[in-house]
Amino acid sequence: MMRAWQVVGAGHPSDVLRQVEVPVPVPGPGEVLLEVEAAGIGKPDAFLCRGNYAFAPPLPFIPGQEICGKVVAVGDGVSVRTGERYMGVTNFFDGRGGLAEFTIATESTLFRVPESMPASEAATFRIGYSTALIGLQRRGQLREGETVVVLGASGGSGITAVQVASALGARVIAVVSGTEKESLCQLAGAAETIDRTSSDVVATINKLTSSRGADLVYDPVGGELADSMVNCLAIGGRHLAVGFASGSWANPSVAQLVRRNASLVGVYAGTISRADNEDDHEALLSMYSSEKFTSFVHEVAFDNAIDAVIAVDEGSVVGKSAVVISREEGKNESA
């Protein structure tokens, strides 16, 4: 048996997320069983609780997309070996997520972890950083010296985009809510920050760019603010639709896009080949080892995982949270 957090209904995380004991899952063909060291918490975990995520499995299920862990068993046709350590994406889509002491992942979703990388950083690395690189470089065709506006820049998706864009030589304008979050983005590499609660975002971006506008908008938020970004896109600009943390995807004026020869570009990591993913992963690890990234991960004890999901749901998280699993804690409880 193992400890796990299970979603038992649809609603606020405090109402539907329960800590339970369930059997340790068994890996099937192409699957790997990992002993979880840390699990990253993201907005999708809150959406899974509320029942409005596209890849939600039947109830009850264990959420948690991202993990760092050690291989303890493998299914048929798997080449990784027991004892090896990986970061990756779990089989959350079939209910076997990472908010548990053990989890299942398909071998193709696992990537190497440098020995020096802490589990909490590895557990929050794969989705955010790879999506940022795919969006900015592969889909957005970012060139050095271009201006990138990042919406929701202090959140888990946004803060990685700020760092990756900065590492690629872009001028980053970070859009946040509150002065504390502005300071965080400046530490992450943003050249300028905008507090959307006290400033007209479109007018400020146009002022900062001398009315030229931004070359790229990195948008994990969607909603009305995202829709308005077309009014501060440069000629030939690209609006990268990454996510919908606001609850709705960006839906900018097509007429305005046409006038600017601008593009709304979808960003989805799931269509990228393993070879390209490997190339991106190694490029990101090189940036990491060169200290181009700063960690903004908050470690949370397993018993407090529900608090981390609630914070993501309410939008109060600054940076990213990782649930760190202590085996000693589990032993003490069972004793």
Side-chain angles (χ1 to χ4, degrees):
M1 300 293 286
M2 68 175 185
R3 294 180 298 157
W5 284 92
Q6 200 174 64
V7 177
V8 298
H12 191 279
S14 62
D15 297 326
V16 301
L17 199 55
R18 300 282 186 272
Q19 187 175 160
V20 297
E21 284 202 358
V22 294
V24 175
V26 177
E31 295 179 345
V32 177
L33 175 68
L34 299 109
E35 183 177 34
V36 178
E37 297 176 8
I41 302 297
K43 194 72 173 180
D45 295 307
F47 287 145
L48 283 166
C49 288
R50 291 190 174 274
N52 55 6
Y53 192 64
F55 303 107
L59 295 166
F61 61 85
I62 300 170
Q65 292 184 323
E66 251 184 315
I67 54 92
C68 172
K70 186 181 294 183
V71 177
V72 293
V74 300
D76 292 340
V78 173
S79 61
V80 301
R81 294 174 295 183
T82 58
E84 294 180 336
R85 188 168 175 249
Y86 290 96
M87 67 175 80
V89 180
T90 69
N91 282 31
F92 72 93
F93 49 84
D94 65 17
R96 297 177 292 174
L99 269 184
E101 291 183 299
F102 296 88
T103 194
I104 295 289
T106 303
E107 181 181 18
S108 61
T109 69
L110 298 177
F111 293 82
R112 77 176 184 93
V113 179
E115 289 184 10
S116 60
M117 182 180 277
S120 58
E121 292 186 23
T124 56
F125 191 87
R126 180 67 207 151
I127 291 178
Y129 285 99
S130 63
T131 300
L133 193 62
I134 289 165
L136 293 165
Q137 198 169 66
R138 293 189 180 276
R139 300 291 291 138
Q141 298 294 301
L142 174 65
R143 295 181 291 273
E144 187 175 356
E146 288 191 314
T147 298
V148 177
V149 170
V150 179
L151 303 183
S154 66
S157 297
I159 201 67
T160 54
V162 170
Q163 294 180 87
V164 172
S166 179
L168 293 174
R171 173 197 180 190
V172 180
I173 301 174
V175 180
V176 298
S177 58
T179 55
E180 177 190 1
K181 295 177 180 180
E182 286 188 278
S183 299
L184 176 84
C185 291
Q186 290 162 3
L187 289 172
E192 290 96 7
T193 58
I194 302 173
D195 181 354
R196 63 177 176 80
T197 65
S198 60
S199 300
D200 182 319
V201 176
V202 170
T204 304
I205 291 170
N206 283 327
K207 181 178 180 181
L208 290 172
T209 60
S210 301
S211 299
R212 179 182 178 278
D215 299 290
L216 283 88
V217 172
Y218 190 90
D219 172 25
V221 178
E224 291 184 9
L225 178 60
D227 295 347
S228 71
M229 289 297 98
V230 70
N231 299 308
C232 54
L233 267 181
I235 301 300
R238 291 84 76 198
H239 184 128
L240 305 176
V242 180
F244 56 101
S246 67
S248 61
W249 288 97
N251 187 27
S253 164
V254 174
Q256 288 283 60
L257 289 172
V258 171
R259 290 190 188 101
R260 289 172 164 77
N261 271 332
S263 304
L264 177 64
V265 181
V267 178
Y268 177 52
T271 61
I272 306 301
S273 71
R274 176 68 192 199
D276 285 345
N277 266 314
E278 286 279 6
D279 289 344
D280 287 354
H281 188 65
E282 293 305 318
L284 290 164
L285 288 182
S286 178
M287 296 178 195
Y288 175 86
S289 64
S290 300
E291 298 183 347
K292 292 185 178 180
F293 300 152
T294 301
S295 175
F296 298 102
V297 179
H298 308 281
E299 294 188 351
V300 180
F302 185 81
D303 285 344
N304 298 329
I306 189 170
D307 297 329
V309 178
I310 290 171
V312 168
D313 181 67
E314 296 175 348
S316 61
V317 174
V318 178
K320 187 102 174 182
S321 295
V323 173
V324 178
I325 298 179
S326 167
R327 261 67 203 181
E328 291 303 316
E329 179 186 355
K331 289 177 183 176
N332 292 337
E333 287 177 357
S334 54

